[in-house]
């Protein structure tokens, strides 16, 4: 499963992402965390992002797109992932579309956590107080002042993605004001329903596709057997109907399958010819004797 968690800072994306990781056995890709790791490690990207992040502004698109592009290509992302904090702008969303397309992948859903902004400020204040109590380091951008800036950039640059993904029929909006447990349950409910629908559609289309594929394959096998050179007449006779029977059986007993042996018919000619030639040769030999 490939998901995006969309929502303003403090909406609980990180918390919900961790729960989705457990449930769907996919990985969480948080650009915020990757950038913080880069800042800590003082890499070139980290040095570039440090002050921007501390001010509550967004890091340039090409930086985060580059990070995600590398990360998606890693083997642990094969089973699926949750993008947390990415994309944050329309150009990032477009870059992601292109990236997924180039890997032959698609998005399953974009889960939007809709929250009330004044409640977010209250949440952040509470979180900062709890972290300080536990003696944990508070993030530089986790202050009410910086949060106001981050909310402003969310409104201006990220909120347009709600429309972007709603137009592409990917958006699932969840009320992020419920308790953490309720939000988790609601996300799981909609995703499970989505998965069930996707499975049904996949099963239907594979049922529709399978007969044609199998019958073509089976007919091809029959053709190969029939045009195989000069096997004893008896084995030719006994094998051909079996192959045809197998072809029509494995073809799912559909009309298409019933029509398929046309290919096998055309291939009978060379097989018959081979048998004729063998018989002629045998006759000549007998006469010669
Ligand atoms: P987060 O932990 O997701 O709230 O991100 C923390 C900070 O990292 C943000 O305020 C931005 O400065 C930066 N950041 C994270 N993800 C992105 C992104 N997709 N685009 C631009 N900047 C980002």
């Amino acid at each position: 499963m490939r998901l995006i968690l969309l929502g303003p800072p403090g909406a609980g994306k990180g918390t919900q992402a961790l729960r989705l990781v457990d449930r769907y056995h996919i990985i969480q890709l948080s650009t915020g965390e990757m950038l913080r790791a880069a800042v800590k490690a003082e890499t070139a990207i980290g040095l570039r992002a440090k002050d921007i992040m501390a001010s509550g502004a967004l890091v340039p698109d090409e930086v985060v797109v580059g990070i995600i592009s590398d990360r998606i290509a890693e083997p642990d992302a094969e089973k699926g992932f949750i993008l947390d904090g990415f994309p944050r702008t329309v150009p990032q969303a477009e870059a992601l579309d292109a990236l997924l397309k180039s890997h032959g992948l698609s998005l399953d859903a974009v889960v939007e956590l809709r929250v009330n902004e004044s409640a977010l400020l209250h949440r952040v204040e509470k979180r900062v107080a709890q972290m300080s109590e536990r003696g944990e380091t508070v993030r530089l951008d986790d202050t009410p002042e910086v949060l106001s800036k981050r909310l402003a950039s969310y409104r201006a640059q990220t909120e347009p993605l709600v429309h972007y993904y709603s137009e592409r029929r990917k958006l699932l909006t969840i009320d992020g004001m419920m308790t953490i447990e309720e939000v988790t349950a609601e996300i799981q409910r909609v995703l499970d329903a989505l998965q069930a629908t996707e499975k049904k559609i996949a099963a239907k289309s594979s049922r529709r596709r399978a007969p044609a594929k199998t019958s073509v394959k089976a007919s091809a096998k029959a053709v190969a057997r029939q045009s195989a050179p000069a096997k004893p007449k008896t084995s030719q006779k006994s094998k051909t109907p079996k192959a045809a029977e197998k072809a029509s059986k494995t073809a799912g007993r559909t009309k298409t399958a019933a029509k398929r042996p046309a290919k096998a018919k055309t291939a009978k000619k060379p097989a018959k010819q081979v048998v004729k030639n063998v018989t002629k040769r045998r006759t000549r030999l007998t006469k010669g004797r």
Side-chain angles (χ1 to χ4, degrees), residues 207-208 211-212 215 248-249 251-260:
R207 267 205 302 273
R208 234 179 274 140
S215 78
S248 64
K249 265 188 188 170
R253 299 153 195 96
T254 63
K255 281 180 191 168
T256 357
K259 282 177 191 165
R260 293 282 170 192

Side-chain angles (χ1 to χ4, degrees), residues 46-57:
L47 294 175
R48 200 173 161 195
K50 191 177 177 184
D51 292 340
I52 304 174
M53 290 172 76
S55 75

Side-chain angles (χ1 to χ4, degrees), residues 215-229 236 240 243-244 247 260-271:
S215 78
V216 168
K217 232 184 183 178
S219 308
K221 268 189 189 170
V223 168
R225 277 193 200 121
Q226 285 167 6
S227 39
Q236 286 266 346
T240 309
R260 293 282 170 192
K263 266 191 179 176
K265 256 187 186 174
T266 51
K268 263 183 187 166
K269 277 184 187 168

